[in-house]
Amino acid sequence: MITDGFTYLAVLLLIGGAIRLLETGTNHRIFNYLPGVVALYIIVMMLSTFGLWQQSASVNATYGTVKGNILPAMIFLMLLKGDLRKIAALGPRMLLAFAAAAISIGVGFVITYTVLNTWLPADAWKAFAALSGSWMGGTGNMVAIQGALNVPDSSMGYTLLMDSIDYAIWVILLLALVPHAKLFNRWTKSDTGIIDRVGEKLDLGEDADKRIDFTALVFLLGAGLAASALSQNLAGLMPATSFFTGTTWAVLIATILGVSAAMTPMGRMAGSNELANVMLYAIIALIASRADFAGLTQAPLYVFAGLMILIIHGLCMVAAAKVFKLDLFSCGIASLANIGGVASAPILAAAYSQMLIPIGVLMAMLGYIIGTGGGLLVGKILSLLS
């Protein structure tokens, strides 16, 4: 049994690295349905259930110090590619579709929680809030909300379960609808020429082709950690409430710093995504290390809740498409940019045309920007309903 904090952290990072190596090195089909971060959570939770480590003073100190300090740094780094000027170039149609997707997802969470509240645990709203952050942005936003709202580590199992199972179903559905785009567009009377012109104007190749070098990594790591320190120090000066805790303020401040830095030369440096993902894997592993399978007694209810949220979201998007004459590509990319993030939105875009991949990337980055704030807003509403 592990009782030393450093050994505990080393084992968690080794497991995360091994899973990532398998995911990228083997390209096994299972990772199409079980993302690496979810596999990491399941394996670490299994080891926690078997008692591989003990919550000793050293382990607890390592858990709190590492998780608390790298969370704002991860948020800062993951937002460095979210240049608002490039996102604005998407035009009003794409931004309207994105807004409709984000709002309808929030509405889906509120309606679903209201309907199922009687059968859910008292603090289930926190797990829903964390998932709303993921489904408006990405896994990084989910982790940010988990820290901000102090979501119990045991509840995060339900969140990731919904995020993986329901998300996989949604991706399959959106890909299956691609061949029916012309029929849908005729029904909504949309002009697809606008999307084609936007795709031709966008070019993300300049940033994508930059090679990661030692100088950039060292600077970005230092900048991320400095942003974390600054966020936490400024958070200590803010008024605290039962909802806006010190961690909540730190998360929001780190978000503002990241969005601002993205419009500087720092945003064009290669390596920020890679560093953010290393921190994300570390945080996911730390969260999973406090969970166990015995706590997942209501898994079917949570999976059903996720499907209910997606159905409400889908119906709202169809209605918005008809009213605002949106095409299927815009609706699908806006939806998956929220729910799937940068890992899946470009895949759906490529199913329509390789030229449209940059739109998927930028839409997903917009999700990263609004995901934390949107999830906290949904969490506040759900807390009032609980």
Side-chain angles (χ1 to χ4, degrees), residues 10-294:
V11 168
L12 294 181
L13 291 177
L14 177 61
I15 294 170
I19 291 173
R20 183 60 183 167
L21 188 63
L22 283 173
E23 185 178 10
T24 57
T26 65
N27 291 321
H28 197 280
R29 186 178 300 176
I30 190 174
F31 290 109
N32 294 333
Y33 310 99
L34 188 69
V37 289
V38 179
L40 173 62
Y41 188 94
I42 292 173
I43 291 173
V44 173
M45 182 170 62
M46 185 183 302
L47 295 175
S48 176
T49 302
F50 293 150
L52 182 59
W53 44 79
Q54 179 184 347
Q55 292 190 23
S56 63
S58 177
V59 168
N60 288 339
T62 300
Y63 173 89
T65 301
V66 175
K67 182 171 177 286
N69 286 316
I70 68 173
L71 176 59
M74 180 207 72
I75 295 168
F76 174 82
L77 290 170
M78 80 177 188
L79 291 174
L80 285 182
K81 297 303 179 186
D83 191 331
L84 290 175
R85 294 167 298 189
K86 288 186 177 180
I87 292 171
L90 291 174
R93 179 183 292 268
M94 291 299 302
L95 296 179
L96 175 61
F98 184 90
I103 293 171
S104 61
I105 290 170
V107 170
F109 273 94
V110 172
I111 293 176
T112 300
Y113 183 79
T114 302
V115 173
L116 301 179
N117 188 19
T118 305
W119 297 279
L120 292 167
D123 62 349
W125 68 269
K126 292 185 177 181
F128 276 63
L131 181 63
S132 70
S134 177
W135 281 5
M136 289 183 181
T139 307
N141 302 96
M142 176 188 71
V143 170
I145 293 174
Q146 191 269 346
L149 298 183
N150 195 25
V151 182
D153 293 335
S154 56
S155 297
M156 290 301 291
Y158 289 124
T159 302
L160 282 162
L161 191 67
M162 298 162 70
D163 195 20
S164 58
I165 295 176
D166 297 325
Y167 153 76
I169 294 172
W170 195 244
V171 172
I172 293 171
L173 175 62
L174 291 179
L175 287 172
L177 289 175
V178 172
H180 307 288
K182 290 184 178 180
L183 181 63
F184 183 89
N185 296 340
R186 282 199 300 268
W187 178 68
T188 60
K189 300 178 181 178
S190 61
D191 178 12
T192 58
I194 298 175
I195 301 301
D196 296 334
R197 289 191 291 272
V198 171
E200 291 174 354
K201 287 166 54 179
L202 291 174
D203 181 15
L204 301 183
E206 180 182 349
D207 291 344
D209 291 339
K210 288 185 178 179
R211 301 181 66 179
I212 301 173
D213 58 41
F214 173 72
T215 304
L217 284 178
V218 171
F219 176 78
L220 288 171
L221 179 60
L225 296 177
S228 175
L230 178 61
S231 298
Q232 293 180 74
N233 285 318
L234 290 177
L237 304 176
M238 299 296 179
T241 65
S242 58
F243 187 84
F244 282 98
T245 63
T247 306
T248 306
W249 280 117
V251 165
L252 292 176
I253 292 169
T255 299
I256 294 172
L257 292 176
V259 172
S260 302
M263 293 183 283
T264 70
M266 193 185 305
R268 295 190 293 274
M269 298 180 72
S272 58
N273 284 339
E274 289 72 16
L275 286 172
N277 283 330
V278 170
M279 296 178 181
L280 173 63
Y281 266 60
I283 294 172
I284 290 292
L286 287 167
I287 293 172
S289 71
R290 296 299 181 92
D292 62 71
F293 280 103

